[in-house]
Each structure stands twice: as C-alpha cells, then as structure tokens.
C-alpha cells in the first residue's frame, strides 16, 4: 500500500510495482483506490480459493484491508463477532471486523502469521502490522513527496522510496500517531531467567496443537523433510493426525514429504529413512553444485539479503520450491525456529551458564526475521509456495521459553545432547513418534546437510570472481558491513546490483559469527574469534564427529574469517535495525 498525491500515474505506478510481487501470489490481483491511498494485492489462494480475493472489507466497505498470511483462530474470532456479517470464507476477513469492533488494539488476538495494511476511509487513517516473530515479511518506506509505503518485499519500494526499513516484528504502525509501537509483549521478551520445571507432556501437547492448527488448507500440501529432528517431528505429528482433519477429506490422508540435496548427501539418506518409517509419499529432489551456482543471482534478488548463511541455505530451498510447486502443491510445513528456541546450534555446547544460554535463545528468536524466517518465506514465495512454521507458534514459544533453561543446557554427564528437552518430550516407547536413533540424531545445518561440497563449491566460485586486490580494498568499496571473505564479497556485489540504495544494504545485519551464533556468543570461546565461519562445521569440537579430535584443531573447511550474523542484544533496538514480510 501507499498514500500520495492523487493522479492517474499513481494508480499505474501501483499496478507496475504490484507486478514485482506477482511471484508471491500468482492466483489473483486486486487493487483498491480511495482518494490518494492505494492498496494492491497479489493472492496465493490457500483458504477459500473461490471467494477470498483481496482487498477484503467490512460490511459497508469503509474499512479496507490487504493481508499476507494465515489467521489460524479465525473461526473462534468470528464466533465472538456475532453482530458482524462476513462476506467470504477467508480467514483474513476477520481483521477488518476486529478493527471495526476494537480499534487498533486487536492485533494480539490474532493467532497466525501475517503482515497487513488496513485503511479506514471514515477518517482516512491507516495501520500496518506484522506478526510476532516476523514469519511474513514486511517493509516500510518513505517517499520524498511525503508518501508512506508498505510492501511484502523490498523490490516494490526501491524505486520510489528515499528510505525504507524492514518493519519490526510484533509491531504496529498507526498513521494517527505516526509511530511504531510493539504490540507483542510475551514474558520471555525481557530475557529474565524463567524457573518453571520442565514438563515434557506440555511441550509435546502444545507442539502437536501448533502443527494441527497449521493444517488449515483447501489446497494440497506437504512437509519439508530434511531427516533432522525438527522436520522429522513435524512430519511425524502431521502423519499421526492427518486422518482426522478436514484437509484429509478433501485431498486424502496420504502425507507427501519433500527433501533436496546433492546426490549422496546426509539429508537425503536421513529423510528417506524417516519417510519410510512414517509411510509418506516421499519426493527426493536432487540438484548439482552448478545448478545452485547458476541460480545464485535469482536467489539473491528474491531473498533480498547478502548474509552468507542465508544465501547458502536459501539456494537449495529455492530450487526445491520450484519443483514442489510443479507437482501442484501450494503449502508446506517446515521446521524453522526450533534451534533458536531450544539452543540447538552446536555452539550452544559452549554456553558458560544457563543465564547466557537463555539470553542467547532470546536474541536468536528476536532476530529470526532477518535470517531463517526470511529464507523460509522468500525462497518458497519466489514460486508461489507458502511455508508454515509450527515451532514459531505463539503459544508454543511461550511454553518452551518458560522452561528453566537449566534443562536446555547440554550436559553430556547426564546424557543430554542439544535440544534434549524436545527429544525427550517425543520419546514414547508405547507409540513412538520416531526411531530412537533419529530422535537423538545430531544436527546438520541445512546448508551443510544438503551436501558438504555445496559450501566448498560456493567458496571456489566466489574465488574465481573476487580477486585479492578487491578484498584488500573491500573496506573502501563497502564501508558498511564490510565483507571479510570472497564469498561474502561476491554476494554483496550481486545484492548491490539489484538494490543499490543505502537503505537496502542497511536492512541486512552484519558482524562476527561462528556457526550461526550472535556476535555476543562469539565471546564464549577464545578460539572462535580466530576461526569465524557461519557453517555449523565451525563449532569447534562440539559435533560428535569432532569429539575425538583435539579442541584446538580447526576444521579444514573454516574460512579464516567470515561475516555472517549479528543479532541485536535487546528487542527495543529492533525498530532501528530490522526488515522483511506481506503481499501488499
């Protein structure tokens, strides 16, 4: 959406920019014009495909809303709005009526993933909001002519806006006050240390509810299955409960699972084993290093970042999404978020105490919209595929982040590997969710698990395009977030070609990282500052395969230095640093 001086060119420009987002919603296009305000939408029809076209309205069309996302509790919310007349079966229409009933303070009632812009024509005010974690992307921009813009992706703002930001997750913008305020205030946000004892059944039940509610679909769906713990649990819970859902009556109770990797990669082998155990219709997809390299420019255009880890993992996901969409599937469930909530990354082995462990998980969740959420949403949306992430369910996060972090700590003396609290919650001898060796399999990062030669191939490719003299002058060419490896430099040049404005590069974070850590966690181990690499293989000596080796020995694959990920230390700083989510 944008608002600006009214003329025929403005509508034409809105139509032109909306076309840049057509990949996100190829099923239908909608536009609403009111004086100098324009709301445009590209629809991916998943719930109520026949009547839920957008923009959506209240009864007299005085409230107009355009939404990207899913509202899982829409039926419950509708039941409490007895005096309202609903025109469609769309889950998103409830937003217009909630605003009519409660004004701006309704956003926390929504259970789902969303970014939306709502126009109240009665006083020509508007609001924009983004879901709690930032699963759906959203950007906000300002034009020199006084116009205000919102878009799901940066590419629709980069021409007309002098400045734009990634809209902070869990925030609302109101034109009445002209500022952003945080609507999402869960107990864990303050980062104080919880003391609730670990309850494995509560973890299990709340996660099962999170998965089941995400089976709200009127179109075929599947599960992305890497064979690791998180995606395997999603697939297991879906296969256990699919028969009792509405979607099974529409599309059958045979679950489809999808995995991608280089031939012979760890993920392909592990995923097939899980799929065979669960009895899913499994689709094993392959790509070559060259196919991945050939797609890099398109991937960076779509995901709108130059972060090394994100690009490494987005490329296979981008290729997989195209193949999934070609099979007629429009929605997938995925396992993002678990490692942030439970401290699943290998570097968490080095957390010095439960306070540092917990604070790092909080920092990681607050920054998800810049990394894994951005990757999962934009890699799939590039091909009109929607990804849903049950681990980032609002209630499940509250339950999981309320556990005394002592239980999440990696304690080999007690037989607790990373994410033990999650593994143990689904360790059921009577009705097993997964075989024991899969339930307790150690993590591979997605970019590692698709095949170790993938990252090595990327580094070789970058070395062919980036000379030593280019690296020597990197701090002059790119003074902000200076790339420190040839791979990072190469991605930056591609990004700047598509998004040359200063505002664009500021939407991407930077700073030191090891194995996906935040900058703060690099302090946990003195050796890490010498061997920074965003790959999971860089967490020296903590993977089972490395325990026999000495901790002083760095992995052969580690870059001498690599830029990757910085997480803001405190949530309040997010409004100044953030960016990505909604088909507006």
């Amino acid at each position: 959406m944008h608002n600006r001086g009214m003329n025929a060119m403005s509508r034409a420009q809105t139509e032109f920019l909306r076309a840049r987002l057509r990949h996100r919603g190829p099923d239908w296009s909608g536009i609403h014009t009111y004086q100098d305000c324009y709301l445009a939408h590209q629809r991916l029809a998943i719930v109520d495909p026949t009547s839920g076209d957008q923009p959506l309205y209240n009864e007299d069309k005085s409230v107009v809303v355009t939404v990207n996302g899913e509202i899982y509790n829409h039926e419950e919310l509708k039941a409490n709005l007895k005096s309202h007349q609903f025109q469609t079966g769309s889950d998103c229409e409830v937003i217009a009526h909630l605003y009519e009933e409660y004004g701006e303070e309704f956003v926390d009632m929504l259970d789902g993933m969303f970014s939306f812009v709502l126009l109240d024509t009665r006083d020509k005010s508007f609001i924009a909001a983004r879901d709690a974690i930032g699963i759906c992307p959203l950007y906000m921009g300002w034009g020199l002519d006084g116009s205000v813009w919102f878009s799901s992706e940066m590419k629709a703002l980069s021409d007309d806006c002098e400045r734009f930001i990634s809209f902070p997750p869990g925030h609302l913008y109101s034109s009445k006050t002209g500022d952003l305020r945080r609507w999402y205030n869960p107990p864990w946000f303050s980062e104080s240390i919880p003391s609730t004892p670990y309850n494995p059944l509560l973890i299990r039940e709340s996660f099962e509810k999170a998965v089941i509610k995400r089976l709200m679909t009127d179109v075929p769906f599947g599960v992305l299955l890497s064979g690791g713990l998180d995606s395997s649990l999603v697939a297991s819970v879906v296969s256990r409960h699919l028969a009792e859902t509405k979607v099974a009556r529409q599309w059958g109770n045979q679950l489809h699972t999808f995995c991608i990797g280089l031939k012979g990669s760890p993920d392909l082998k592990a995923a097939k084993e899980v799929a065979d155990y669960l009895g899913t219709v499994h689709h094993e997809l392959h790509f070559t290093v060259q196919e991945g390299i050939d797609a890099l420019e398109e991937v960076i255009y779509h995901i709108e970042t130059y972060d090394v880890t994100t690009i490494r993992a987005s490329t296979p996901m981008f290729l997989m999404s195209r193949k999934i969409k070609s099979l007629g599937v429009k929605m997938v469930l995925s396992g993002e978020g678990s490692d942030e909530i439970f401290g699943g990354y290998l570097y968490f082995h080095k957390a010095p105490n439960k306070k540092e462990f917990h604070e790092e998980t909080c920092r990681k969740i607050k920054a998800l919209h810049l990394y894994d959420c951005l990757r999962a949403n934009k890699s799939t949306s590039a091909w009109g595929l929607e990804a849903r992430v049950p681990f980032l369910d609002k209630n499940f996060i509250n339950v999981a982040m309320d556990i005394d972090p002592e239980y999440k700590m990696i304690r080999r003396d007690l037989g607790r590997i990373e994410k033990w609290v999650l593994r143990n919650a689904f360790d059921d001898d009577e009705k097993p969710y997964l075989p024991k060796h899969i339930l307790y399999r150690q993590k591979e990062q997605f970019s590692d698990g698709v095949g170790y030669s993938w990252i090595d191939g990327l580094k070789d490719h970058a070395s062919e395009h980036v000379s030593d003299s280019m690296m020597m002058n990197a701090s002059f060419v790119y003074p902000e977030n200076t790339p420190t490896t040839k791979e990072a430099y190469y991605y930056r040049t591609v990004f700047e070609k598509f998004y040359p404005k200063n505002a664009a590069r500021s939407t991407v974070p930077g700073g030191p990282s090891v194995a996906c850590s935040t900058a703060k966690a690099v302090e946990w181990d003195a050796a890490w500052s010498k061997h920074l690499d965003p790959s999971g293989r860089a967490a020296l000596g903590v993977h089972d395969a490395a325990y026999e080796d000495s901790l002083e020995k760095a992995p052969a694959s580690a870059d001498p230095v690599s830029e990757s990920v910085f997480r803001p230390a405190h949530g309040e700083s997010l409004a100044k640093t953030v960016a990505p989510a909604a088909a507006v």
Side-chain angles (χ1 to χ4, degrees):
M1 171 196 163
H2 71 279
N3 76 307
R4 68 188 322 188
M6 173 65 171
N7 55 54
M9 271 305 294
S10 293
R11 182 174 176 121
Q13 177 70 349
T14 304
E15 293 273 19
F16 171 72
L17 295 171
R18 181 185 62 185
R20 291 188 185 171
L21 301 182
R22 190 167 291 151
H23 54 275
R24 294 184 64 86
D27 297 339
W28 199 251
S29 305
I31 189 166
H32 180 92
T33 303
Y34 178 76
Q35 295 179 12
D36 61 350
C37 299
Y38 302 81
L39 285 94
H41 189 266
Q42 288 295 145
R43 185 175 187 212
L44 181 66
I46 291 177
V47 174
D48 185 28
T50 48
S51 74
D53 293 337
Q54 296 197 32
L56 296 158
Y57 305 89
N58 65 337
E59 293 86 345
D60 65 3
K61 298 201 169 182
S62 61
V63 176
V64 194
V65 64
T66 178
V67 190
N68 170 216
E70 305 292 340
I71 310 302
Y72 302 120
N73 63 335
H74 69 107
E75 289 181 354
E76 175 192 325
L77 292 168
K78 283 177 186 175
N80 294 325
L81 294 166
K82 293 187 171 62
S83 62
H84 291 256
Q85 299 294 313
F86 287 82
Q87 315 301 314
T88 74
S90 168
D91 55 296
C92 295
E93 187 188 341
V94 74
I95 291 172
H97 299 278
L98 285 169
Y99 171 81
E100 202 177 18
E101 190 75 21
Y102 300 104
E104 295 179 355
E105 305 307 317
F106 70 90
V107 183
D108 203 18
M109 299 178 190
L110 302 174
D111 181 9
M113 58 178 195
F114 55 83
S115 54
F116 68 80
V117 178
L118 180 149
L119 172 67
D120 186 342
T121 63
R122 294 168 298 191
D123 60 2
K124 216 176 129 185
S125 64
F126 58 89
I127 61 171
R130 189 175 181 189
D131 68 63
I133 305 299
I135 301 164
C136 290
L138 186 63
Y139 292 83
M140 180 178 185
W142 297 267
L144 288 173
D145 59 357
S147 55
V148 181
W149 300 66
F150 300 90
S151 172
S152 291
E153 295 186 358
M154 193 161 62
K155 54 185 65 66
L157 301 184
S158 51
D159 290 358
D160 295 80
C161 295
E162 183 63 20
R163 180 161 180 262
F164 43 89
I165 61 166
S166 169
F167 195 97
H171 278 68
L172 175 137
Y173 173 83
S174 168
S175 67
K176 288 176 182 171
T177 58
D179 61 10
L180 284 154
R181 65 179 185 270
R182 187 153 53 84
W183 62 262
Y184 179 55
N185 296 291
W188 64 267
F189 212 88
S190 68
E191 301 185 11
S192 58
I193 314 305
S195 56
T196 307
Y198 169 51
N199 180 343
L201 274 181
L202 183 60
I203 289 281
R204 184 195 295 187
E205 287 163 11
S206 54
F207 182 65
E208 291 201 309
K209 283 179 185 166
V211 171
I212 292 163
K213 75 171 74 158
R214 280 161 181 77
L215 302 181
M216 179 183 85
T217 174
D218 294 323
V219 298
F221 82 102
V223 173
L224 304 184
L225 178 63
S226 70
L229 175 69
D230 309 326
S231 63
S232 298
L233 282 178
V234 174
S236 178
V237 172
V238 173
S239 60
R240 187 168 288 215
H241 295 283
L242 183 57
E244 67 214 40
T245 62
K246 177 185 155 195
V247 68
R249 294 194 293 277
Q250 279 181 288
W251 301 102
N253 56 10
Q254 193 72 54
L255 176 63
H256 288 253
T257 50
F258 304 90
C259 183
I260 192 163
L262 305 176
K263 283 193 173 164
S265 67
D267 280 0
L268 292 180
K269 181 170 175 281
K272 185 175 187 321
E273 189 179 5
V274 175
D276 289 346
Y277 178 79
L278 298 175
T280 70
V281 179
H282 188 57
H283 306 265
E284 186 174 287
L285 310 171
H286 302 122
F287 78 106
T288 64
V289 172
Q290 189 58 51
E291 284 171 335
I293 287 168
D294 290 344
L296 276 175
E297 291 215 358
E298 210 178 346
V299 167
I300 292 169
Y301 171 75
H302 276 288
I303 65 173
E304 303 178 323
T305 187
Y306 48 84
D307 176 66
V308 171
T309 319
T310 306
I311 293 166
R312 288 175 176 179
S314 292
T315 305
M317 199 168 189
F318 174 87
L319 297 171
M320 173 168 59
S321 298
R322 185 176 194 179
K323 294 187 176 189
I324 291 172
K325 187 65 187 285
S326 74
L327 295 168
V329 170
K330 288 172 83 170
M331 185 272 281
V332 289
L333 271 67
S334 191
E336 278 76 16
S338 172
D339 289 317
E340 286 73 16
I341 294 166
F342 293 106
Y345 293 106
L346 297 177
Y347 73 89
F348 274 93
H349 283 245
K350 298 282 189 173
N353 54 56
K354 73 178 186 179
K355 179 178 182 291
E356 294 252 4
F357 189 105
H358 181 72
E359 288 171 353
E360 176 74 355
T361 60
C362 294
R363 288 192 294 265
K364 293 286 288 181
I365 296 168
K366 289 175 184 179
L368 264 168
H369 66 289
L370 298 169
Y371 301 100
D372 285 16
C373 286
L374 179 147
R375 166 180 57 77
N377 182 282
K378 291 183 182 173
S379 301
T380 52
S381 295
W383 301 105
L385 180 69
E386 177 178 276
R388 298 181 182 176
V389 282
F391 281 106
L392 297 179
D393 179 81
K394 215 162 48 161
N395 179 63
F396 180 73
I397 292 176
N398 283 345
V399 168
M401 292 303 287
D402 193 41
I403 301 168
D404 185 333
E406 184 64 46
Y407 293 95
K408 294 182 183 178
M409 294 278 288
I410 292 111
R411 293 281 304 273
R412 290 196 162 254
D413 55 324
L414 299 176
R416 293 182 190 170
I417 62 169
E418 69 278 352
K419 292 192 288 198
W420 174 82
V421 292
L422 181 63
R423 300 173 197 272
N424 182 65
F426 285 91
D427 194 344
D428 187 331
D429 289 332
E430 287 181 26
K431 285 182 68 181
Y433 286 79
L434 294 167
K436 293 265 191 202
H437 68 282
I438 292 170
L439 197 58
Y440 291 95
R441 176 189 181 222
Q442 198 167 32
K443 177 179 178 55
E444 297 278 6
Q445 279 181 214
F446 184 39
S447 55
D448 290 343
V450 296
Y452 292 121
S453 58
W454 166 233
I455 290 173
D456 299 331
L458 288 173
K459 290 178 180 179
D460 292 345
H461 178 70
S463 294
E464 290 168 15
H465 288 79
V466 180
S467 67
D468 292 343
S469 61
M470 288 161 80
M471 286 304 298
M472 195 178 296
N473 295 312
S475 62
F476 298 104
V477 178
Y478 300 122
E480 186 182 350
N481 278 355
T482 304
T484 53
T485 65
K486 290 186 175 182
E487 185 185 5
Y489 191 107
Y490 175 68
Y491 298 156
R492 183 66 170 271
T493 59
V494 175
F495 177 88
E496 299 264 349
K497 182 171 77 174
F498 293 125
Y499 306 108
K501 286 192 173 176
N502 288 338
R505 83 180 61 104
S506 297
T507 64
V508 183
S513 170
V514 61
C516 283
S517 74
T518 71
K520 180 90 178 92
V522 172
E523 299 166 12
W524 290 352
D525 189 306
W528 285 350
S529 60
K530 302 184 194 78
H531 297 285
L532 295 172
D533 187 280
S535 162
R537 290 179 281 170
L540 309 188
V542 297
H543 196 284
D544 282 342
Y547 259 99
E548 301 80 58
D549 298 335
S550 69
L551 286 177
E552 287 74 44
K553 195 167 146 192
S557 61
D559 286 339
V561 178
S562 178
E563 79 158 12
S564 177
V565 279
F566 166 73
R567 313 321 196 218
H570 299 287
E572 292 307 331
S573 68
L574 285 175
K576 304 187 194 79
T577 59
V578 292
V584 177

